[in-house]
Amino acid sequence: MKTDTISFDKQIYYRLIALWVLCEAVLGGLMHAVKIPFTGIVVSSGAVICICLIAYYVPVKGAILRATIIVAIFKLMLSPQTPPAAYIAVFFQGMMGQILFFNLRFFRLSCIL
């Protein structure tokens, strides 16, 4: 299991992606259905935690972007009624995560930002 001279456990990677999917699709869908205010803040907080964990446990370039695409596909399958702005938010989170965690030397600062 060598990729880019860094070994990582694929099982952890896919479990973190599954956690992110659950935060986005299931939690977001339930909160939206019940009409709880500030749904976006709660869902994006879960996404940020998942992105930080992916950056920490899978230090491979492009891992966050691949995870973002997988999350968007599953979100489309699990809750097709989601407005397009939610997909834009997911891709924005993934792009910002990839940019911020490009260099893991400033990991804590990137997590805070």
Side-chain angles (χ1 to χ4, degrees):
M1 276 199 264
K2 284 284 213 187
T3 57
D4 292 348
T5 68
I6 298 173
S7 178
F8 69 94
D9 191 8
K10 288 186 179 184
Q11 189 175 19
I12 293 173
Y13 180 58
Y14 290 118
R15 284 182 180 185
L16 289 172
I17 292 173
L19 179 65
W20 189 4
V21 168
L22 285 174
C23 287
E24 288 287 341
V26 178
L27 181 65
L30 288 175
M31 290 181 73
H32 181 73
V34 181
K35 297 185 182 188
I36 297 175
F38 305 111
T39 301
I41 293 173
V42 174
V43 172
S44 25
S45 298
V48 167
I49 291 170
C50 292
I51 290 170
C52 291
L53 288 172
I54 289 172
Y56 183 76
Y57 286 108
V58 188
V60 177
K61 293 181 189 208
I64 297 173
L65 288 179
R66 278 185 252 138
T68 304
I69 293 169
I70 294 170
V71 168
I73 290 170
F74 273 95
K75 184 173 181 142
L76 179 66
M77 288 189 309
L78 293 174
S79 53
Q81 77 279 5
T82 306
Y87 296 103
I88 293 170
V90 169
F91 283 111
F92 180 75
Q93 291 166 354
M95 289 295 290
M96 287 305 296
Q98 188 65 49
I99 290 169
L100 288 173
F101 292 110
F102 181 76
N103 186 0
L104 292 179
R105 192 169 139 203
F106 305 108
F107 182 77
R108 288 185 185 176
L109 179 63
S110 297
C111 286
I112 292 170
L113 290 175

